[in-house]
Amino acid sequence: MSGFDTLLAQSTAPRAEQARALGLPTPRVERWKYVPTRTLARTAWVAPTQRDTDTFALSGGQFLNIPTVDGLTEVQSGLTESERLRLDAMATAHGFSLTQDALNGHQLILEVGASASVTLTLEHLANLSLEAGFATLVIRVGSNASLSLIETFEAEAASETNLDSLRMLVSVARDGRVNHLKFQAANAGQLIFHAVDVDLSENAQYTLDTIDFGSKMARSDILITLSGRHANTDVRGLALCNGSQYHDTHLAIDHAVGETTSAMMFRNMVDDKGEATFNGRVLIRKDAQKSATEQSVANLLLSERARVNPKPELEIYADDVTASHGCTVGSLNKAELFYLKSRGIAEADARAFLQYAFAEEVVERVAHPQIREQIETRLLGELTHGELIAELKDALDV
Amino acid sequence: MLVIRNLHARVDDKPILKGINLEIQAGEVHAIMGPNGSGKSTLSSVLAGRDEYEVTDGEVIYQGQNLLELEPEERAWAGIFLSFQYPVEIPGVKNIYLLKAAVNAVREHRGQPELKAGEFLKLVREKLKIMQMDEAFLHRNVNEGFSGGEKKRNEILQMQLLEPTLALLDETDSGLDVDALKIVGEGINRMRDPSRSVLLVTHYQRLLDIVKPDYVHVLADGEIKLSGDFTLAERLEREGYEGIEAA
């Protein structure tokens, strides 16, 4: 049983029946162990509608205003065989991924031409109450091309339950590069499901900054496959959970060939009754010699009832690799607090300083200045005593 | 200014201070010297309010109030400043944010008007010059990646900005080369004032050659074993702590 039964019953998609039969994953499905499925299961989800806008947006499972810029083409000829296989793997993981597949609205395929340089800003519009929108975006980045992909979320004040699901397939050809920035500050009623599958050819690069502040719950499944030599990826993430928010990122990096490098840095800051899950898995295959990976995961717990479920995993089958990893869970550092307080900074302000500092490790690396500014403003708003830092920034930053 | 009577403190279950008695008048500079593990740093930490230390007996009266009842920030507002032996690195917080927040927090509690950004920058540039520090230090994260000497200069820079009534300097000379020692020492001397007292904790005499103390105390095994004037420091340098203790 799931809240999608009615929609699935109406669907003629090949996997609709299977999705309905299987229902939502239970906690026995390891990857879904901590996901609160109550709202998913109990909401009587309805088909989405689209809102009006002028910019490139995802609204109710449809992409609107597909940009026409130099170097970017919308492909009409459908998926390649390998894309189809990757999407199949994504779709058949469990009952919910089948649902995502069966209820998919729009599948958009975009191609960035060889040596082109394109910036795409996609805004996720808030869906209406009880609406569940599902979409798929396939992006091919040509050789030596560069794509800057920015995803933002409309932070409507409305807090009615709604669902936004986006599956993304990204294939980067030789020497291509993708900088992906996702700033999720969605409305408090939204459930967000993001699945990203990236494949990197020789000397291709993919960086991801993923910032999760908003929504009721957000789940990201990210798979990055380094399939060409000298491919490299760098993923940085920050999730803030306040109230009873749940944020969950499952990140897997697959070093399929040698001389590939990866780095992941993830920070969870959890307050109130919030909960964060982070699963970071790095696989270095037998033939992926001379690969290197760095993993840094830190979790900051700010209340008694806050919970984190961190799980860093390193699976290494090659013998000539460099791997470093670290995972910490803790509360604010006492020595740092004392230092600030000994300078006359009040306890509440000192705590805000340190929370800000924890988040800044990720935020300060966001390359896009305007979005970084938005992230910082929102971050300071989320902190219980962020006003002092906001004032200092205003007064002292040039 | 400061009266310490029979002060006992421990960390976990280990007694460290075993009955300290010390009186510091306004304008005086007192040096506390002693071997490693004698309790020197514990004394300055207890006075600044670090909560790992538990005071088990005795009292500390600062300007007529019971110091031990105050939170660390309240002590700072009351004019106490601790220069840390190991200044804490705070990645993600710009030095200039800390400095301005600290200066204005302390000013507010002293009934002084808040310094606006322009006024603050003017003041901080003046102090940077004294400490021979580059303005770039303002925009780096607090102590992150600073060398030992840079951290200590940053501490004295903060002291200059906060203008404490009682400065506790915990091994401010450790990790300094000769030039930095001179800059830091002179930075401290500039702060000497009839209304300001300094408690200077050190292992060696070299800082005392620049900052001449009015009194020198030898702390060993949690107690002040001997007090004297500046010549005591010279004696210590010649005879070592063992010679003094035996005497």
Side-chain angles (χ1 to χ4, degrees):
Chain A
M1 277 290 288
S2 90
F4 301 101
D5 283 359
T6 313
L7 288 175
L8 288 168
Q10 291 160 1
S11 166
T12 53
R15 292 195 171 108
E17 197 39 53
Q18 200 190 348
R20 202 151 74 103
L22 218 56
L24 294 171
T26 66
R28 267 182 238 134
V29 175
E30 178 67 24
R31 295 168 60 76
W32 265 60
K33 196 166 158 186
Y34 302 104
V35 182
T37 51
R38 232 172 104 102
T39 311
L40 272 184
R42 296 196 181 174
T43 304
W45 297 104
V46 301
T49 52
Q50 284 76 44
R51 310 234 323 266
D52 266 347
T53 181
D54 301 331
T55 54
F56 183 40
L58 177 60
S59 174
Q62 296 290 322
F63 294 99
L64 309 176
N65 309 308
I66 294 153
T68 47
V69 293
D70 279 350
L72 185 74
T73 1
E74 184 183 352
V75 178
Q76 306 289 356
S77 56
L79 299 173
T80 64
E81 180 61 12
S82 79
E83 284 166 346
R84 200 182 54 74
L85 288 172
R86 283 159 66 199
L87 210 51
D88 275 354
M90 206 186 247
T92 52
H94 46 65
F96 184 70
S97 61
L98 285 165
T99 304
Q100 286 173 296
D101 193 67
L103 299 180
N104 193 61
H106 196 170
Q107 174 174 291
L108 173 66
I109 308 177
L110 295 175
E111 196 167 286
V112 179
S115 302
S117 174
V118 169
T119 297
L120 272 180
T121 302
L122 174 67
E123 186 181 20
H124 292 248
L125 295 183
N127 291 320
L128 300 182
S129 180
L130 305 183
E131 289 186 355
F134 297 88
T136 305
L137 177 61
V138 178
I139 301 179
R140 300 173 192 157
V141 177
S143 60
N144 202 33
S146 98
L147 169 68
S148 171
L149 175 63
I150 299 159
E151 288 180 82
T152 60
F153 289 71
E154 187 188 28
E156 282 264 284
S159 58
E160 301 286 344
T161 301
N162 67 102
L163 187 149
D164 175 63
S165 159
L166 176 62
R167 300 184 303 174
M168 211 184 272
L169 276 191
V170 181
S171 310
V172 190
R174 189 181 169 142
D175 300 323
R177 98 187 250 147
V178 174
N179 296 316
H180 186 179
L181 166 59
K182 188 186 82 176
F183 175 31
Q184 190 271 101
N187 66 76
Q190 196 155 60
L191 312 186
I192 296 175
F193 292 88
H194 240 82
V196 184
D197 175 319
V198 180
D199 186 82
L200 298 175
S201 305
E202 189 170 337
N203 203 35
Q205 188 189 45
Y206 174 76
T207 68
L208 171 65
D209 291 284
T210 171
I211 312 285
D212 278 288
F213 286 176
S215 77
K216 180 184 172 73
M217 71 155 287
R219 163 66 180 243
S220 298
D221 286 275
I222 303 158
L223 167 65
I224 301 162
T225 309
L226 305 162
S227 9
R229 281 186 188 278
H230 303 293
N232 94 77
T233 187
D234 193 350
V235 179
R236 296 174 290 249
L238 169 68
L240 241 63
C241 302
N242 288 326
S244 56
Q245 280 181 308
Y246 177 79
H247 287 147
D248 181 333
T249 297
H250 273 62
L251 167 62
I253 296 175
D254 182 352
H255 290 254
V257 302
E259 294 172 67
T260 47
T261 52
S262 69
M264 66 168 79
M265 174 190 204
F266 214 93
R267 299 288 178 265
N268 286 308
M269 183 152 84
V270 189
D271 205 346
D272 302 330
K273 290 181 283 173
E275 181 172 350
T277 299
F278 178 76
N279 185 297
R281 176 168 179 258
V282 177
L283 168 65
I284 301 184
R285 291 182 192 264
K286 194 159 170 283
D287 296 324
Q289 300 292 359
K290 300 200 186 309
S291 288
T293 184
E294 277 174 45
Q295 205 178 28
S296 153
V297 183
N299 298 279
L300 182 58
L301 292 170
L302 297 169
S303 76
E304 291 284 320
R305 297 181 68 184
R307 282 182 57 127
V308 292
N309 316 297
K311 192 175 176 193
E313 293 178 81
L314 266 177
E315 240 178 277
I316 301 178
Y317 298 100
D319 49 22
D320 182 13
V321 300
T322 319
S324 70
H325 64 107
C327 178
T328 62
V329 178
S331 48
L332 293 172
N333 182 302
K334 278 191 171 178
E336 294 175 0
L337 266 179
F338 175 64
Y339 189 74
L340 294 173
K341 287 167 71 174
S342 78
R343 283 359 184 193
I345 296 176
E347 165 96 22
D349 290 327
R351 295 179 68 87
F353 258 117
L354 296 181
Q355 292 169 36
Y356 174 74
F358 180 84
E360 270 300 287
E361 269 200 275
V362 173
V363 178
E364 71 184 2
R365 293 173 194 229
V366 170
H368 193 293
Q370 283 90 20
I371 307 272
R372 188 177 60 239
E373 214 33 61
Q374 288 174 26
I375 295 170
E376 292 203 346
T377 304
R378 173 75 190 240
L379 169 66
L380 291 170
E382 295 281 335
L383 301 180
T384 321
H385 288 270
E387 309 83 10
L388 174 64
I389 305 163
E391 265 176 50
L392 289 165
K393 273 174 61 69
D394 277 351
L396 299 170
D397 285 4
V398 272
Chain B
M1 163 95 48
L2 183 77
V3 181
I4 303 173
R5 284 194 202 106
N6 191 33
L7 183 65
H8 286 69
R10 65 181 182 193
V11 63
D12 298 325
D13 278 335
K14 193 173 171 235
I16 304 201
L17 300 182
K18 301 169 183 169
I20 301 275
N21 291 289
L22 181 65
E23 220 168 291
I24 300 179
Q25 305 298 333
E28 293 176 352
V29 174
H30 289 240
I32 303 266
M33 301 185 73
N36 288 331
S38 59
K40 303 189 300 289
S41 289
T42 301
L43 178 60
S44 52
S45 291
V46 166
L47 295 177
R50 190 190 290 259
D51 65 2
E52 287 105 274
Y53 300 96
E54 188 194 346
V55 173
T56 50
D57 202 1
E59 62 175 358
V60 180
I61 307 296
Y62 168 72
Q63 292 185 325
Q65 51 186 332
N66 179 356
L67 185 70
L68 300 176
E69 274 182 355
L70 303 180
E71 289 294 315
E73 63 271 38
E74 293 171 319
R75 299 183 197 202
W77 301 337
I80 289 183
F81 176 87
L82 170 65
S83 168
F84 283 55
Q85 182 181 3
Y86 302 109
V88 178
E89 295 190 11
I90 311 183
V93 175
K94 280 190 200 170
N95 214 13
I96 192 167
Y97 289 4
L98 166 63
L99 297 176
K100 184 165 185 284
V103 166
N104 279 329
V106 166
R107 286 180 69 89
E108 188 191 331
H109 287 89
R110 289 179 192 160
Q112 295 167 313
E114 182 186 329
L115 288 187
K116 300 285 172 220
E119 300 163 312
F120 169 74
L121 283 169
K122 188 165 169 271
L123 177 71
V124 79
R125 282 183 185 129
E126 213 174 276
K127 305 298 186 192
L128 280 169
K129 213 166 160 188
I130 294 170
M131 297 314 295
Q132 301 188 24
M133 290 169 77
D134 193 280
E135 208 173 314
F137 278 102
L138 297 178
H139 300 281
R140 286 170 61 182
N141 290 332
V142 177
N143 293 321
E144 191 188 25
F146 287 26
S147 72
E150 288 166 348
K151 284 181 182 168
K152 296 300 174 75
R153 281 198 228 183
N154 201 30
E155 294 291 288
I156 302 304
L157 175 78
Q158 294 178 36
M159 177 172 84
Q160 306 243 357
L161 287 165
L162 295 176
E163 301 185 324
T165 312
L166 172 65
L168 311 165
L169 308 178
D170 188 5
E171 306 224 5
T172 297
D173 50 345
S174 68
L176 294 182
D177 61 29
V178 183
D179 293 335
L181 184 71
K182 207 162 161 242
I183 294 165
V184 164
E186 278 165 9
I188 297 167
N189 278 336
R190 289 183 74 108
M191 298 291 290
R192 290 184 80 154
D193 182 285
S195 64
R196 178 174 295 130
S197 310
V198 177
L199 181 69
L200 208 156
V201 170
T202 184
H203 193 77
Y204 303 104
Q205 193 204 332
R206 54 180 207 159
L207 180 61
L208 306 185
D209 289 338
I210 306 171
V211 184
K212 278 252 174 353
D214 301 302
Y215 299 94
V216 173
H217 310 276
V218 178
L219 187 66
D221 193 27
E223 287 177 277
I224 290 178
K225 303 279 189 195
L226 198 61
S227 297
D229 62 8
F230 177 70
T231 55
L232 180 55
E234 290 169 339
R235 235 184 95 200
L236 280 171
E237 192 74 6
R238 275 197 318 271
E239 301 173 21
Y241 291 111
E242 278 174 25
I244 297 275
E245 278 175 69

